[in-house]
């Protein structure tokens, strides 16, 4: 099982590195290869996705938005969302409250 600050696969063409969390907030870095898809899902947590490099398309509640380096998406809790990498992309995702499902994939 991966540890904090180690890269691990989270889907075809997608890797993530989960950072040690605070008490109510957490973040991770994600790399996406061109054409990779973070399939549609939802969670009760609020999410900010900041695009460090590349270009990412977000589909949420039937609307499509594209963000490039230096831009970010806000995803409200329970919103169904899916992303597609339009180029090799690096993002930093921040969640509040903590995502126990993601933290459960990590060994300290």
């Amino acid at each position: 099982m991966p540890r904090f600050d180690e890269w691990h696969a989270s889907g075809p063409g997608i890797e993530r590195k989960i950072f040690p969390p605070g008490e109510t907030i957490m973040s991770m870095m994600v790399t996406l290869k061109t054409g990779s898809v973070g399939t549609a899902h939802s969670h009760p947590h609020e999410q900010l996705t900041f695009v460090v490099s590349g270009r990412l398309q977000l589909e949420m509640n039937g609307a499509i938005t594209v963000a490039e380096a230096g831009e970010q998406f806000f995803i409200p809790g329970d919103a169904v969302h899916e992303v597609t990498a339009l180029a090799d992309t690096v993002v930093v995702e921040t969640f509040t409250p903590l995502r126990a499902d993601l933290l459960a994939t990590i060994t300290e």
Side-chain angles (χ1 to χ4, degrees):
M1 188 176 275
R3 297 182 181 277
F4 286 115
D5 295 319
E6 290 180 352
W7 290 98
H8 62 281
S10 66
I14 304 173
E15 292 189 324
R16 68 180 172 215
K17 176 170 57 170
I18 299 172
F19 300 109
E23 289 185 31
T24 62
I25 195 168
M26 65 177 287
S27 65
M28 65 183 180
M29 184 170 282
V30 182
T31 62
L32 302 99
K33 296 289 184 192
T34 302
S36 61
V37 176
T39 56
H41 66 284
S42 67
H43 42 75
H45 316 82
E46 291 186 318
Q47 176 179 340
L48 292 174
T49 298
F50 178 79
V51 181
V52 176
S53 62
R55 192 164 187 239
L56 194 65
Q57 174 182 290
L58 170 71
E59 184 172 348
M60 181 173 62
N61 299 329
I64 294 176
T65 309
V66 174
E68 298 180 347
E71 299 176 332
Q72 79 177 12
F73 300 116
F74 167 69
I75 301 169
D78 297 319
V80 176
H81 56 285
E82 176 175 285
V83 296
T84 302
L86 302 176
D88 287 352
T89 301
V90 176
V91 300
V92 174
E93 296 185 332
T94 304
F95 303 94
T96 188
L98 300 178
R99 285 203 47 190
D101 60 324
L102 293 177
L103 294 175
T105 68
I106 298 297
T107 301
E108 292 192 53

